[in-house]
Amino acid sequence: LKSDDMKHDEMFYQGTAFNYIVHAKYLLLKENYRKLEALCEEMHRLFDIFNNLLGHLHAHILEAIAKDKLYGPEKATEAMQAALTLGRADGIIMLFAEYGYYITGILNELALKSKKDVYLERLRTEVSLYSHNIEFAGKIKKVEVHLTERERDVLILLMDGCSNREIANQLFIAEITVKKNTTSIYRKLGVSSRAAAVRKSMELKLI
């Protein structure tokens, strides 16, 4: 998908929409707007075959973003109008929110030309909120867990499925010491079981 190799889609045509949307988002992130614009035209052609409305909706939004970057807001609002027509029919919000970072300005431009468009106003509100939440989430400081060298040794063996006795034998320490270190690990990770400790350790990439 990253290299634009779509030839295998022909065998699994129902997966075509997903593959093209993923590749389009890759182009978006790479800021390759000319290629994105061209791809959107191809997406519309393909999505017409099975009348894939959600696929068309993605393509219209992506096309609006590309045109906004290449030609300015006037061309972008034309493409976004097509997306609004499709989305309004079913009150679709979340799909627009996915692209909130890119389309807030386009939606605001449309609002200046529209009068009492309830759907557009709701989109603007939800897209703005979603974008704010994503930005806020990105600023949340990563949880830092500081383990002692002994606790790390114990945790490694816990992850290997060793019992307290096996850990004690391998580290040449008393079982009570293993229990104390295990309790400390649980407390630092905010868990209450071995399975949870292992899972949390993997999530935080502690080992």
Side-chain angles (χ1 to χ4, degrees):
L1 297 180
K2 180 179 178 180
S3 64
D4 195 16
D5 180 7
M6 304 292 185
K7 60 180 178 293
H8 299 296
D9 286 348
E10 297 175 2
M11 295 185 291
F12 306 101
Y13 203 89
Q14 290 179 331
T16 296
F18 176 78
N19 293 337
Y20 273 80
I21 290 168
V22 169
H23 182 60
K25 290 186 175 184
Y26 168 75
L27 294 176
L28 177 61
L29 292 173
K30 296 296 288 185
E31 299 182 359
N32 192 339
Y33 301 117
R34 293 201 179 279
K35 191 169 183 179
L36 177 60
E37 181 185 27
L39 181 66
C40 287
E41 294 180 10
E42 178 69 5
M43 289 165 71
H44 284 306
R45 185 185 67 79
L46 289 167
F47 299 160
D48 272 340
I49 296 174
F50 288 116
N51 195 29
N52 187 329
L53 297 182
L54 283 178
H56 279 300
L57 186 51
H58 274 282
H60 282 308
I61 295 172
L62 288 160
E63 182 183 1
I65 297 169
K67 289 184 181 299
D68 185 43
K69 299 298 184 180
L70 294 171
Y71 315 116
E74 186 174 343
K75 293 291 185 182
T77 53
E78 290 177 10
M80 187 59 74
Q81 281 286 15
L84 291 178
T85 299
L86 279 179
R88 182 180 283 108
D90 293 303
I92 294 173
I93 300 292
M94 190 59 200
L95 196 149
F96 288 89
E98 288 182 36
Y99 301 97
Y101 174 79
Y102 301 94
I103 68 173
T104 299
I106 304 173
L107 294 177
N108 290 340
E109 191 72 23
L110 281 169
L112 294 175
K113 304 174 183 178
S114 304
K115 293 183 179 180
K116 296 182 180 180
D117 187 332
V118 176
Y119 176 63
L120 176 57
E121 288 308 308
R122 185 184 173 202
L123 267 183
R124 292 175 66 207
T125 300
E126 298 297 341
V127 165
S128 177
L129 178 60
Y130 184 82
S131 298
H132 172 74
N133 288 341
I134 292 296
E135 182 181 1
F136 177 75
K139 292 179 180 178
I140 295 176
K141 187 177 180 181
K142 182 179 178 182
V143 176
E144 294 184 4
V145 177
H146 299 285
L147 300 178
T148 65
E149 186 175 347
R150 175 64 75 200
E151 288 168 349
R152 287 179 61 82
D153 292 338
V154 170
L155 179 59
I156 290 171
L157 294 174
L158 280 176
M159 295 179 77
D160 286 340
C162 296
S163 66
N164 285 354
R165 178 171 294 181
E166 290 170 332
I167 294 173
N169 290 338
Q170 289 197 48
L171 297 179
F172 303 102
I173 57 178
E175 280 191 58
I176 187 64
T177 304
V178 174
K179 291 180 180 178
K180 287 180 179 179
N181 279 278
T182 301
T183 299
S184 179
I185 292 169
Y186 288 179
R187 177 178 54 78
K188 290 181 179 181
L189 294 177
V191 298
S192 58
S193 68
R194 285 186 172 226
V198 170
R199 183 169 60 251
K200 189 70 173 287
S201 299
M202 293 175 67
E203 289 175 359
L204 297 176
K205 298 180 180 180
L206 295 179
I207 302 300

